[in-house]
Structure formats: C-alpha cells, structure tokens
Amino acid sequence: MDAAWLGVDQYNDKAFVNKRGSQHIVVAMGRAGNTTFVLGDPRKRVDTLDFSSILFEAIPFTEDTYLIEGEP
C-alpha cells in the first residue's frame, strides 16, 4: 500500500481524533516509508480535543501524516 486515507472526528494543529486502531495504521505506514493523508472538514477543527477514549484516540501529526483541509 502506497498511502492511507483517514477521515477525522476532530482535529487541531497537533493531532487528530479517529476511531481506535487508527494510530496503528499511521505508525505502520510511517515505518514502511509511506504517507497517511488525513481528510479534515474545517468545521471539525477545535482548540482542545475532547473525546471518549473508549472509542476514539488522538493521533499526533508526524512528518508522514498530512492534513488535507476542505474549504469552510
């Protein structure tokens, strides 16, 4: 796989929130030297991430993770 595409439930400048297990995808893609693209709707941008850690996890943006933001 050359790249992975993930959506987000919320995001800020440092990290994005997605379903648990998403971080495994990001880490595996980075180890393989591949990119993860994160699709972010500007309406989901927040100052402080707030989520249930039972279902979701915060994944830090890395050099292999690129945010693609839509228009507001």
Side-chain angles (χ1 to χ4, degrees):
M1 183 181 325
D2 294 327
W5 293 83
L6 298 174
V8 300
D9 290 282
Q10 45 179 287
Y11 64 98
N12 61 21
D13 292 334
K14 297 179 183 179
F16 66 97
V17 173
N18 208 7
K19 306 296 182 286
R20 293 191 69 70
S22 298
Q23 187 162 11
H24 293 294
I25 295 169
V26 172
V27 169
M29 293 301 290
R31 284 185 183 152
N34 296 323
T35 303
T36 301
F37 295 98
V38 179
L39 304 175
D41 181 326
R43 295 171 292 184
K44 294 184 178 184
R45 179 180 279 278
V46 296
D47 292 328
T48 304
L49 300 175
D50 183 30
F51 59 96
S52 165
S53 60
I54 295 171
L55 298 174
F56 299 94
E57 61 189 355
I59 302 116
F61 286 111
T62 67
E63 67 244 10
D64 300 317
T65 308
Y66 294 96
L67 174 65
I68 299 174
E69 267 184 303
E71 294 185 25

